[in-house]
């Protein structure tokens, strides 16, 4: 839950820690073709255009969103976001973002899915680009949620967060640790990424974000050589793409679609824990980076809408 | 809790992942002086001799144990461990170990403290040496426990685990996250270690061990150049020594000695959660590496005694 809206928090830590963030001209030329007048006018489709990221990055996002939406096609309701929340920007248009939220019908295990991208011009001349996709279950199912986020502050620097954050204290429920994390062999994907020399573990500056993560969370910082981003695109295509799809597949098959018995007491526990995480997410994020990127008026407007979905 | 007896689990992962574990003659020569006939005969003092590790390693352990025991001098009861559990070895004497457990009186926040060392000759000709110290609080105090462990499978390879593992789900108790982990600035010690080029994050192969760790847990693998261990001793003296003492000091001042209001319901919760972790520790450890190091008869004998202290 927390991690889903991690993008609202993470920009500051990324901005403050990135030493070199200028986009090279080669990566710029890759990005331009996706921005067109017709896309800018059609706000409802804009989310899936991912207009500011590379083709490899966009392909991965589009595939993940499609896989998730197709799997729950009959259960997901059309988006009802007002257009000024589907796409928004700060007053001087240096930051813009798209938001995509779809609730599910009452009998679905899904509470809602949330996708977003943020593009923000950096003072250094480069840009910060964040794309994310999350799946939230409701309290009829006690399985973990799905969280995916790519944060890119230069063509050669990327932070990936890919996790199935647990919704119960795994210390008290070791059987859930076995079912969702051990039996599904989730850790092998983290290990596979770790073998790449460009990949280092990433520690969020927020201890709360670390606290809500699972023991198999993939939280990595990828730093490639200064080659204009070519090696990074290769890593996205050959490693992040297949790994992300495999983890989403585990979530779809073993979590979202799992047949779970959830009693009344456990539902109350899930509602309480989910609620705390969602409130904490909004508190941490709204209080810091989100207003800085979009100004307080825009930030508040978008937040009021998100709050509706986040209420349990 | 779990991590305290992590040593019972960790040898296997260390053994299976260490590529080069021969002790050099220079490190051997450092170790010999601590083994003497008189020490071998005095089992009650043997724990504090740390006879198989380097002077820097021994100094650190002795200082930590003394600091902890002196602070609670009036509250700790004398050890009542039978001598064959204070020191034990496998039938062919290739593995030996010392165990030191002291309970506290009923009005102390301390449940018990547990120290140990394990020395095991490796088939490769080197040795595996594990030293650990833990502090366990009882359910009148809801603060985190203290866990310290150094695992060394060669003069140039060391795994350090240093943590204040939480006893409550920090997602449900974000105030505790702030009190014990944010306000105490625990994370700066992890960050300081991370700046050393020889230090890498260590991911335990046990997901349960990762699950019980705090968000500021120091779990690192230190690999130095093949210099017979000189650089490692420097790292122990200049970095691990001061950092470990600072973390112990935070635990003593802000956790073990904190005035906490713990209601009846919360005590029951702590007992349940502590109990699950302790049982899981024994289950994971006894089922795997402990019998392999000492044989099942010795392992069972020691375990029966540990179980008494671990019952909540």
């Amino acid at each position: 839950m927390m991690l889903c809206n991690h993008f609202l928090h993470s920009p500051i830590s990324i901005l403050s820690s990135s030493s070199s963030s200028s986009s090279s001209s080669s990566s710029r030329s890759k990005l331009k073709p996706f921005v067109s007048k017709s896309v800018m006018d059609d706000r409802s489709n804009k989310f899936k255009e991912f207009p500011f990221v590379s083709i490899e990055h966009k392909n991965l996002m589009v595939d993940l969103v499609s896989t998730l939406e197709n799997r729950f096609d009959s259960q997901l309701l059309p988006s009802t976001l007002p257009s000024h929340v589907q796409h928004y920007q700060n007053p001087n248009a240096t930051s813009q973002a798209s938001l995509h939220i779809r609730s599910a019908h009452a009998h679905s295990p899904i509470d809602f899915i949330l996708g977003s991208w943020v593009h923000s011009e950096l003072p250094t001349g480069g840009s910060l680009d964040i794309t994310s996709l999350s799946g939230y279950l409701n309290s009829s199912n006690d399985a973990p949620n799905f969280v995916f986020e790519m944060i890119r502050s230069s063509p050669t620097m990327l932070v990936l967060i890919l996790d199935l954050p647990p919704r119960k204290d795994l210390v008290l429920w070791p059987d859930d640790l076995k079912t969702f994390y051990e039996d599904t062999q989730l850790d092998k994907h983290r290990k596979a990424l770790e073998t790449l020399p460009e990949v280092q573990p990433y520690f969020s500056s927020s201890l709360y974000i670390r606290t809500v993560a699972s023991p198999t969370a993939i939280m990595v910082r990828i730093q490639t050589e200064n080659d204009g981003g070519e090696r990074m695109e290769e890593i996205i295509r050959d490693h992040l793409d297949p790994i992300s799809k495999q983890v989403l597949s585990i979530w779809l098959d073993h979590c979202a679609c799992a047949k779970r018995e959830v009693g009344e007491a456990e539902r109350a526990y899930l509602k309480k824990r989910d609620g705390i995480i969602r409130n904490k997410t909004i508190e941490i994020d709204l209080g810091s980076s989100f207003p800085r990127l979009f100004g307080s008026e825009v930030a508040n407007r978008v937040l009021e809408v998100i709050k509706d979905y986040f209420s349990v």
Side-chain angles (χ1 to χ4, degrees), chain A:
Chain A
M1 299 274 165
M2 179 68 174
L3 292 175
C4 158
N5 250 27
H6 177 64
F7 74 86
L8 303 179
H9 178 85
S10 47
I12 294 311
S13 59
I14 298 298
L15 284 168
S16 63
S17 65
S18 64
S19 50
S20 162
S21 7
S22 303
S23 291
S24 73
S25 57
S26 71
S27 82
R28 278 279 182 206
S29 67
K30 277 182 188 164
L31 308 178
K32 285 295 178 194
F34 300 114
V35 189
S36 70
K37 186 73 179 67
S38 65
V39 168
M40 294 299 284
D41 290 340
D42 181 5
R43 289 179 166 178
S44 66
N45 283 326
K46 185 148 188 172
F47 165 65
K48 294 177 191 171
E49 292 295 327
F50 296 98
F52 295 100
V53 298
S54 68
I55 186 80
E56 290 81 0
H57 189 151
K58 174 182 164 155
N59 285 347
L60 171 53
M61 288 307 305
V62 168
D63 287 354
L64 291 177
V65 174
S66 307
T67 303
L68 183 51
E69 293 199 323
N70 291 342
R71 179 70 165 257
F72 293 102
D73 186 43
S74 62
Q75 300 177 17
L76 292 172
L77 306 172
S79 168
T80 57
L81 286 182
S83 65
H84 66 278
V85 174
Q86 284 183 31
H87 187 71
Y88 51 94
Q89 59 187 32
N90 64 347
N92 61 3
T94 54
S95 295
Q96 53 179 302
S98 242
L99 185 63
H100 178 73
I101 307 184
R102 291 179 68 184
S103 295
H105 67 55
H107 300 295
S108 172
I110 303 280
D111 188 356
F112 61 92
I113 64 169
L114 186 155
S116 78
W117 58 254
V118 172
H119 170 75
S120 183
E121 294 170 18
L122 294 173
T124 52
S127 69
L128 171 72
D129 286 278
I130 304 171
T131 62
S132 71
L133 177 66
S134 308
Y136 293 71
L137 301 181
N138 65 39
S139 58
S140 66
N141 184 331
D142 63 354
N145 288 324
F146 173 78
V147 164
F148 175 84
E149 187 171 315
M150 287 167 78
I151 304 162
R152 202 156 175 189
S153 61
S154 91
T156 56
M157 213 293 279
L158 187 153
V159 167
L160 170 70
I161 293 172
L162 173 58
D163 193 21
L164 309 189
R167 292 164 65 222
K168 293 156 78 178
D169 177 10
L170 296 176
V171 172
L172 283 178
W173 277 275
D175 289 350
D176 285 22
L177 179 68
K178 183 173 184 302
T179 303
F180 298 122
Y181 301 95
E182 289 172 356
D183 293 351
T184 56
Q185 298 189 286
L186 259 174
D187 205 40
K188 76 175 179 190
H189 303 293
R190 189 194 59 75
K191 281 186 187 158
L193 257 191
E194 212 184 36
T195 61
L196 297 180
E198 294 94 343
V199 172
Q200 290 294 323
Y202 168 70
F203 292 87
S204 168
S205 59
S206 160
L207 297 190
Y208 200 76
I209 287 175
R210 295 188 210 164
T211 300
V212 298
S214 85
T216 60
I218 294 176
M219 292 180 147
V220 292
R221 177 188 295 266
I222 307 173
Q223 179 81 57
T224 55
E225 280 181 31
N226 200 5
D227 63 354
E230 269 188 51
R231 171 64 180 150
M232 188 66 85
E233 300 311 324
E234 194 176 280
I235 290 176
I236 293 174
R237 189 185 62 237
D238 297 343
H239 302 279
L240 306 195
D241 189 287
I243 285 175
S244 305
K245 288 171 181 172
Q246 283 161 35
V247 172
L248 175 59
S249 171
I250 289 171
W251 184 71
L252 291 171
D253 295 340
H254 298 276
C255 300
C257 296
K259 300 285 173 232
R260 304 283 295 177
E261 293 283 338
V262 184
E264 269 312 302
E266 212 163 327
R267 273 184 195 238
Y269 168 84
L270 287 168
K271 281 194 177 191
K272 183 180 175 186
R273 202 173 185 277
D274 285 351
I276 289 174
I277 294 177
R278 293 178 186 196
N279 286 337
K280 198 79 188 167
T281 301
I282 287 171
E283 175 196 319
I284 290 177
D285 293 340
L286 193 72
S288 61
S289 53
F290 202 45
R292 290 200 225 179
L293 283 174
F294 296 102
S296 60
E297 195 187 320
V298 173
N300 285 338
R301 187 180 73 205
V302 175
L303 187 89
E304 282 309 309
V305 174
I306 292 178
K307 270 184 181 168
D308 279 348
Y309 291 90
F310 270 41
S311 64
V312 285

